[in-house]
Amino acid sequence: MKKILNVISSARGTASNSTQLGNAIVEKLAEQYPGSTVKLRDLVVQKYPHLEESHLNAFFAPAENPTPGYKEAIQHSDEAIQEVMEADVIVIGVPIYNFNIPSALKAWLDHLVRAGKTFSYQTGRPEGLVKDKKVYLAIASGGVYSNGPMKSFDFAEPYLRAVLGFIGITDITTFRAEGTNVPDLKETALQKGIDSIVV
Ligand SMILES: Cc1cc2nc3c(=O)[nH]c(=O)nc-3n(C[C@H](O)[C@H](O)[C@H](O)COP(=O)(O)O)c2cc1C
């Protein structure tokens, strides 16, 4: 039995390839681990705000001496961190927008990566504080980035591995629906991605 957090960041609702791929990963996990629970976090339906001064002040204010507006400013970060900490497995749907992750997902990460909560420099070196999590990335792209001439434009997966690794999440597996805009590939891109899932 696993606690699964299903993170959606495509703006295309149920037509989304990354969401469908992520849902297929969740289904396989639920089959594999009967009794699992799934928490949905749709970052397009419920947006995380871009970081403003109030958020930064709150991030660095000691909780026992809160800044004015602290509670309101910190709530998104607290929520994102709590949901990740509670999960055993996190499935992240990632549509590629302009060679990288959507800003909705970046905003969520900006609230999740927080000094003293998900990472620490206390030992003098950065230490990730999010332990024992498994992440599956469900990446959908119009082009093909896993190999071929566009591979050097594959910024999203390395970035996600870096930022999640920074907070301690290193057990990451990627599945892709790629070539969703390429003639000859687009008809089968999603199904090929779904068929490749092993959990
Ligand atoms: C705003 C926008 C930007 C995009 N930029 C890229 C891109 O840089 N590279 C690419 O391969 N596909 C790009 N695409 C195509 C999407 O990655 C592709 O349609 C993918 O299937 C979207 O995932 P989704 O179906 O989960 O929304 C872009 C699509 C949109 C809407």
Side-chain angles (χ1 to χ4, degrees):
M1 186 193 136
K2 301 279 184 193
K3 286 185 188 161
I4 303 166
L5 178 64
N6 187 8
V7 179
I8 288 171
S9 66
S10 168
R12 297 201 317 122
T14 52
S16 156
N17 292 301
S18 59
T19 302
Q20 291 182 73
L21 186 61
N23 286 343
I25 297 169
V26 170
E27 273 172 35
K28 289 243 164 109
L29 285 165
E31 270 170 39
Q32 182 89 7
Y33 304 101
S36 291
T37 58
V38 183
K39 168 122 207 204
L40 189 68
R41 170 55 57 200
D42 188 327
L43 301 175
V44 175
V45 171
Q46 194 198 327
K47 294 171 184 54
Y48 277 69
H50 287 181
L51 293 184
E52 295 176 12
E53 191 177 12
S54 59
H55 300 118
L56 303 182
N57 289 341
F59 284 0
F60 296 107
E64 59 278 12
N65 186 18
T67 52
Y70 175 88
K71 259 194 167 170
E72 202 191 341
I74 211 71
Q75 65 183 0
H76 289 95
S77 177
D78 282 348
E79 177 186 71
I81 291 168
Q82 188 184 341
E83 286 183 352
V84 164
M85 289 298 193
E86 281 176 3
D88 303 306
V89 184
I90 302 143
V91 177
I92 306 177
V94 188
I96 298 299
Y97 291 169
N98 303 313
F99 305 109
N100 218 321
I101 66 171
S103 57
L105 180 56
K106 178 62 164 58
W108 178 74
L109 288 166
D110 285 342
H111 288 271
L112 178 63
V113 180
R114 187 166 133 207
K117 294 287 179 186
T118 52
F119 74 93
S120 166
Y121 273 107
Q122 213 126 56
T123 59
R125 269 187 280 155
E127 190 199 345
L129 303 178
V130 188
K131 312 276 190 203
D132 303 323
K133 309 292 177 196
K134 171 77 194 177
V135 163
Y136 293 96
L137 301 176
I139 302 180
S141 56
V144 174
Y145 296 91
S146 64
N147 57 63
M150 295 303 283
K151 189 162 173 34
S152 62
F153 286 75
D154 185 25
F155 305 115
E157 192 200 11
Y159 166 68
L160 287 168
R161 285 183 181 275
V163 71
L164 293 171
F166 182 71
I167 60 170
I169 302 175
T170 52
D171 187 357
I172 300 172
T173 301
T174 298
F175 299 109
R176 293 178 187 255
E178 55 181 354
T180 62
N181 290 346
V182 178
D184 296 341
L185 297 182
K186 62 181 179 188
E187 291 79 12
T188 54
L190 175 60
Q191 195 54 50
K192 270 177 92 171
I194 291 173
D195 292 345
S196 74
I197 297 168
V198 180
V199 296

mmCIF file of all heavy atoms in Angstrom, residues 10 12 15-19 95-99 140-143 145 180-181, ligand 1:
data_model
loop_
_atom_site.group_PDB
_atom_site.id
_atom_site.type_symbol
_atom_site.label_atom_id
_atom_site.label_comp_id
_atom_site.label_asym_id
_atom_site.label_seq_id
_atom_site.Cartn_x
_atom_site.Cartn_y
_atom_site.Cartn_z
ATOM 1 N N SER A 10 -0.332 20.173 -16.792
ATOM 2 C CA SER A 10 -0.765 20.533 -18.140
ATOM 3 C C SER A 10 -2.043 21.347 -18.077
ATOM 4 O O SER A 10 -2.928 21.075 -17.261
ATOM 5 C CB SER A 10 -1.038 19.282 -18.977
ATOM 6 O OG SER A 10 -1.726 19.646 -20.170
ATOM 7 N N ARG A 12 -4.207 21.279 -20.427
ATOM 8 C CA ARG A 12 -5.122 20.702 -21.423
ATOM 9 C C ARG A 12 -6.137 19.719 -20.861
ATOM 10 O O ARG A 12 -6.735 18.934 -21.609
ATOM 11 C CB ARG A 12 -4.321 20.053 -22.546
ATOM 12 C CG ARG A 12 -3.477 21.065 -23.319
ATOM 13 C CD ARG A 12 -3.088 20.612 -24.691
ATOM 14 N NE ARG A 12 -2.663 19.243 -24.735
ATOM 15 C CZ ARG A 12 -3.237 18.302 -25.503
ATOM 16 N NH1 ARG A 12 -4.276 18.608 -26.251
ATOM 17 N NH2 ARG A 12 -2.772 17.077 -25.502
ATOM 18 N N ALA A 15 -7.531 15.924 -22.016
ATOM 19 C CA ALA A 15 -6.882 15.620 -23.302
ATOM 20 C C ALA A 15 -5.358 15.562 -23.162
ATOM 21 O O ALA A 15 -4.673 15.118 -24.083
ATOM 22 C CB ALA A 15 -7.248 16.694 -24.333
ATOM 23 N N SER A 16 -4.853 15.996 -22.044
ATOM 24 C CA SER A 16 -3.398 16.108 -21.857
ATOM 25 C C SER A 16 -2.686 14.759 -21.933
ATOM 26 O O SER A 16 -3.067 13.793 -21.273
ATOM 27 C CB SER A 16 -3.125 16.750 -20.493
ATOM 28 O OG SER A 16 -1.839 16.390 -20.022
ATOM 29 N N ASN A 17 -1.624 14.724 -22.719
ATOM 30 C CA ASN A 17 -0.806 13.506 -22.815
ATOM 31 C C ASN A 17 -0.060 13.229 -21.515
ATOM 32 O O ASN A 17 0.008 12.083 -21.070
ATOM 33 C CB ASN A 17 0.206 13.648 -23.961
ATOM 34 C CG ASN A 17 -0.470 13.656 -25.315
ATOM 35 O OD1 ASN A 17 -1.154 12.710 -25.676
ATOM 36 N ND2 ASN A 17 -0.292 14.731 -26.070
ATOM 37 N N SER A 18 0.519 14.283 -20.909
ATOM 38 C CA SER A 18 1.284 14.056 -19.665
ATOM 39 C C SER A 18 0.360 13.610 -18.541
ATOM 40 O O SER A 18 0.737 12.759 -17.726
ATOM 41 C CB SER A 18 2.058 15.316 -19.274
ATOM 42 O OG SER A 18 1.192 16.404 -19.078
ATOM 43 N N THR A 19 -0.863 14.162 -18.503
ATOM 44 C CA THR A 19 -1.811 13.757 -17.460
ATOM 45 C C THR A 19 -2.256 12.313 -17.676
ATOM 46 O O THR A 19 -2.323 11.526 -16.719
ATOM 47 C CB THR A 19 -3.031 14.700 -17.446
ATOM 48 O OG1 THR A 19 -2.560 16.036 -17.219
ATOM 49 C CG2 THR A 19 -4.018 14.322 -16.357
ATOM 50 N N PRO A 95 4.182 18.522 -19.165
ATOM 51 C CA PRO A 95 4.160 18.861 -20.591
ATOM 52 C C PRO A 95 5.342 19.788 -20.874
ATOM 53 O O PRO A 95 5.640 20.668 -20.059
ATOM 54 C CB PRO A 95 2.835 19.609 -20.752
ATOM 55 C CG PRO A 95 2.561 20.206 -19.415
ATOM 56 C CD PRO A 95 3.238 19.328 -18.380
ATOM 57 N N ILE A 96 6.021 19.599 -21.970
ATOM 58 C CA ILE A 96 7.143 20.491 -22.299
ATOM 59 C C ILE A 96 6.601 21.758 -22.957
ATOM 60 O O ILE A 96 5.928 21.697 -23.983
ATOM 61 C CB ILE A 96 8.142 19.796 -23.256
ATOM 62 C CG1 ILE A 96 8.739 18.557 -22.581
ATOM 63 C CG2 ILE A 96 9.238 20.763 -23.697
ATOM 64 C CD1 ILE A 96 9.519 18.826 -21.311
ATOM 65 N N TYR A 97 6.871 22.882 -22.324
ATOM 66 C CA TYR A 97 6.523 24.187 -22.892
ATOM 67 C C TYR A 97 7.825 24.947 -23.130
ATOM 68 O O TYR A 97 8.588 25.198 -22.183
ATOM 69 C CB TYR A 97 5.668 25.011 -21.911
ATOM 70 C CG TYR A 97 4.257 24.513 -21.657
ATOM 71 C CD1 TYR A 97 3.506 25.056 -20.615
ATOM 72 C CD2 TYR A 97 3.653 23.534 -22.442
ATOM 73 C CE1 TYR A 97 2.212 24.631 -20.355
ATOM 74 C CE2 TYR A 97 2.360 23.111 -22.189
ATOM 75 C CZ TYR A 97 1.646 23.663 -21.144
ATOM 76 O OH TYR A 97 0.359 23.239 -20.886
ATOM 77 N N ASN A 98 8.064 25.311 -24.364
ATOM 78 C CA ASN A 98 9.246 26.132 -24.680
ATOM 79 C C ASN A 98 10.524 25.549 -24.071
ATOM 80 O O ASN A 98 11.263 26.225 -23.365
ATOM 81 C CB ASN A 98 9.003 27.592 -24.255
ATOM 82 C CG ASN A 98 7.756 28.126 -24.933
ATOM 83 O OD1 ASN A 98 7.577 27.953 -26.140
ATOM 84 N ND2 ASN A 98 6.856 28.718 -24.174
ATOM 85 N N PHE A 99 10.683 24.278 -24.332
ATOM 86 C CA PHE A 99 11.882 23.521 -23.968
ATOM 87 C C PHE A 99 12.058 23.283 -22.473
ATOM 88 O O PHE A 99 13.138 22.863 -22.038
ATOM 89 C CB PHE A 99 13.163 24.176 -24.537
ATOM 90 C CG PHE A 99 13.102 24.373 -26.013
ATOM 91 C CD1 PHE A 99 12.979 25.639 -26.554
ATOM 92 C CD2 PHE A 99 13.129 23.282 -26.875
ATOM 93 C CE1 PHE A 99 12.892 25.819 -27.922
ATOM 94 C CE2 PHE A 99 13.036 23.451 -28.246
ATOM 95 C CZ PHE A 99 12.910 24.718 -28.771
ATOM 96 N N ALA A 140 5.572 14.739 -21.514
ATOM 97 C CA ALA A 140 4.980 14.747 -22.866
ATOM 98 C C ALA A 140 5.575 15.895 -23.658
ATOM 99 O O ALA A 140 5.636 17.028 -23.171
ATOM 100 C CB ALA A 140 3.463 14.888 -22.790
ATOM 101 N N SER A 141 6.012 15.605 -24.865
ATOM 102 C CA SER A 141 6.598 16.671 -25.688
ATOM 103 C C SER A 141 6.189 16.504 -27.145
ATOM 104 O O SER A 141 6.039 15.381 -27.639
ATOM 105 C CB SER A 141 8.130 16.645 -25.570
ATOM 106 O OG SER A 141 8.645 15.380 -25.912
ATOM 107 N N GLY A 142 6.045 17.655 -27.804
ATOM 108 C CA GLY A 142 5.705 17.633 -29.223
ATOM 109 C C GLY A 142 6.814 17.015 -30.045
ATOM 110 O O GLY A 142 6.566 16.300 -31.009
ATOM 111 N N GLY A 143 8.063 17.293 -29.677
ATOM 112 C CA GLY A 143 9.222 16.731 -30.364
ATOM 113 C C GLY A 143 9.808 15.563 -29.585
ATOM 114 O O GLY A 143 9.240 15.112 -28.589
ATOM 115 N N TYR A 145 13.090 14.254 -27.504
ATOM 116 C CA TYR A 145 14.256 14.766 -26.786
ATOM 117 C C TYR A 145 15.105 13.673 -26.134
ATOM 118 O O TYR A 145 16.214 13.941 -25.700
ATOM 119 C CB TYR A 145 13.814 15.762 -25.696
ATOM 120 C CG TYR A 145 13.172 16.986 -26.277
ATOM 121 C CD1 TYR A 145 11.792 17.024 -26.483
ATOM 122 C CD2 TYR A 145 13.937 18.080 -26.665
ATOM 123 C CE1 TYR A 145 11.190 18.133 -27.056
ATOM 124 C CE2 TYR A 145 13.350 19.194 -27.238
ATOM 125 C CZ TYR A 145 11.973 19.216 -27.428
ATOM 126 O OH TYR A 145 11.394 20.319 -28.004
ATOM 127 N N THR A 180 4.530 14.075 -29.867
ATOM 128 C CA THR A 180 3.066 14.224 -29.975
ATOM 129 C C THR A 180 2.658 15.202 -31.075
ATOM 130 O O THR A 180 1.485 15.301 -31.406
ATOM 131 C CB THR A 180 2.446 14.681 -28.632
ATOM 132 O OG1 THR A 180 2.973 15.969 -28.286
ATOM 133 C CG2 THR A 180 2.733 13.695 -27.514
ATOM 134 N N ASN A 181 3.645 15.929 -31.628
ATOM 135 C CA ASN A 181 3.358 16.826 -32.763
ATOM 136 C C ASN A 181 4.073 16.390 -34.037
ATOM 137 O O ASN A 181 4.092 17.133 -35.019
ATOM 138 C CB ASN A 181 3.789 18.267 -32.434
ATOM 139 C CG ASN A 181 2.910 18.902 -31.384
ATOM 140 O OD1 ASN A 181 1.831 18.395 -31.080
ATOM 141 N ND2 ASN A 181 3.367 19.988 -30.801
HETATM 142 C C1 LIG B 1 2.877 26.723 -24.946
HETATM 143 C C2 LIG B 1 3.419 25.468 -25.550
HETATM 144 C C3 LIG B 1 4.776 25.358 -25.749
HETATM 145 C C4 LIG B 1 5.294 24.179 -26.284
HETATM 146 N N1 LIG B 1 6.645 24.066 -26.443
HETATM 147 C C5 LIG B 1 7.155 22.904 -26.887
HETATM 148 C C6 LIG B 1 8.562 22.727 -26.998
HETATM 149 O O1 LIG B 1 9.366 23.584 -26.685
HETATM 150 N N2 LIG B 1 9.015 21.528 -27.426
HETATM 151 C C7 LIG B 1 8.176 20.502 -27.776
HETATM 152 O O2 LIG B 1 8.645 19.435 -28.148
HETATM 153 N N3 LIG B 1 6.836 20.650 -27.671
HETATM 154 C C8 LIG B 1 6.317 21.814 -27.239
HETATM 155 N N4 LIG B 1 4.964 21.955 -27.120
HETATM 156 C C9 LIG B 1 4.111 20.798 -27.415
HETATM 157 C C10 LIG B 1 3.780 20.036 -26.168
HETATM 158 O O3 LIG B 1 4.937 19.673 -25.450
HETATM 159 C C11 LIG B 1 3.005 18.782 -26.513
HETATM 160 O O4 LIG B 1 1.795 19.156 -27.146
HETATM 161 C C12 LIG B 1 2.732 17.932 -25.300
HETATM 162 O O5 LIG B 1 2.007 16.788 -25.708
HETATM 163 C C13 LIG B 1 1.957 18.737 -24.290
HETATM 164 O O6 LIG B 1 1.660 17.930 -23.169
HETATM 165 P P1 LIG B 1 0.148 17.831 -22.663
HETATM 166 O O7 LIG B 1 -0.602 17.092 -23.744
HETATM 167 O O8 LIG B 1 0.283 17.074 -21.409
HETATM 168 O O9 LIG B 1 -0.372 19.218 -22.444
HETATM 169 C C14 LIG B 1 4.430 23.116 -26.609
HETATM 170 C C15 LIG B 1 3.055 23.247 -26.392
HETATM 171 C C16 LIG B 1 2.560 24.404 -25.861
HETATM 172 C C17 LIG B 1 1.080 24.516 -25.631
#
